[in-house]
Amino acid sequence: MKLEDILKDPSAAYDKPQDVLDDDNLTHDEKCKVLEQWEYDIRELLVATEENMPGPEGYSLDEVQDVLRKLCDEDGEGNR
């Protein structure tokens, strides 16, 4: 699957955030982009839910952020 397609809806391309980290077909930067998009999507969903417009349930913001932290730790950045 192309990166552009994955970025449109990361939750459709991966079952869970950890799967992004485990994907050997993506570079470190691509993994960051995917996880950051997933994080953004969840934040948008949270806003919509607060406005009584619920969407599909998926992984929590904490789960995506945890995987992002792991990715940064692998790269030696460690701070997110």
Side-chain angles (χ1 to χ4, degrees):
M1 185 177 275
K2 291 186 203 177
L3 180 62
E4 300 87 38
D5 295 331
I6 294 170
L7 290 172
K8 289 178 187 174
D9 186 3
S11 65
Y14 297 97
D15 290 331
K16 58 188 182 292
Q18 181 64 40
D19 293 342
V20 177
L21 192 63
D22 297 337
D23 188 343
D24 293 332
N25 295 313
L26 297 176
T27 67
H28 179 271
D29 289 343
E30 290 171 337
K31 291 176 184 181
C32 286
K33 285 180 186 177
V34 170
L35 289 166
E36 287 167 353
Q37 181 62 49
W38 205 336
E39 179 182 32
Y40 175 82
D41 292 348
I42 290 172
R43 288 182 186 278
E44 289 295 305
L45 180 60
L46 290 173
V47 169
T49 301
E50 288 173 7
E51 296 174 356
N52 293 322
M53 296 181 290
E57 293 194 25
Y59 285 88
S60 75
L61 183 59
D62 289 339
E63 289 174 274
V64 174
Q65 289 175 331
D66 287 344
V67 175
L68 265 168
R69 277 191 286 279
K70 286 181 189 177
L71 187 60
C72 288
D73 287 345
E74 281 183 0
D75 193 40
E77 294 173 20
N79 52 1
R80 167 142 172 84

